[in-house]
Amino acid sequence: MKHRLGKRHLSVLMVLTLIDLICTIIWFEGYGVTELNPILSGPIEKSALKFSLIKLGLTVPSVRIIRAHISNTFAQVGGWLLLFSYAFVCFIHIKVFCHLFYGL
């Protein structure tokens, strides 16, 4: 059985992106946690809105391109890489949450 990236996976990817976006703003604004992505570290220091627009401006077109070429092997690999990357980032957000609120 092939494990092919599908449109549902891309929907999960967008949800993970939004979770990352919201958590990053909360951690940055409320707790002084730094943004580790060098492309987005400057914009978040200027404004949450600028950060959000750039983050979504990078992510949404990428997901749309992958969706348009979902049968292509390169798009499959790229989609899986993005999905696993954002899943890992969300795992880090959970760890930050546990550390900030529960000292774990």
Side-chain angles (χ1 to χ4, degrees), residues 1-5 73 76 80:
M1 179 177 161
K2 288 186 177 182
H3 296 287
R4 297 200 45 89
L5 185 75
T73 302
Q76 286 283 315
W80 280 114

Side-chain angles (χ1 to χ4, degrees), residues 21-74:
L21 173 74
I22 293 165
C23 288
T24 301
I25 292 171
I26 291 170
W27 302 147
F28 181 82
E29 297 287 338
Y31 300 95
V33 175
T34 59
E35 169 62 42
L36 296 178
N37 183 336
I39 295 171
L40 296 172
S41 61
I44 197 168
E45 291 177 7
K46 294 179 182 164
S47 84
L49 178 62
K50 186 173 184 174
F51 169 78
S52 300
L53 291 174
I54 291 172
K55 182 163 186 68
L56 293 174
L58 292 170
T59 306
V60 172
S62 300
V63 172
R64 290 182 59 112
I65 289 169
I66 291 168
R67 185 182 196 118
H69 301 284
I70 203 156
S71 61
N72 181 295
T73 302
F74 186 69

Side-chain angles (χ1 to χ4, degrees), residues 2-21:
K2 288 186 177 182
H3 296 287
R4 297 200 45 89
L5 185 75
K7 292 180 180 179
R8 286 187 179 159
H9 293 99
L10 296 177
S11 296
V12 170
L13 176 59
M14 286 308 303
V15 169
L16 292 174
T17 300
L18 292 174
I19 290 169
D20 176 40
L21 173 74

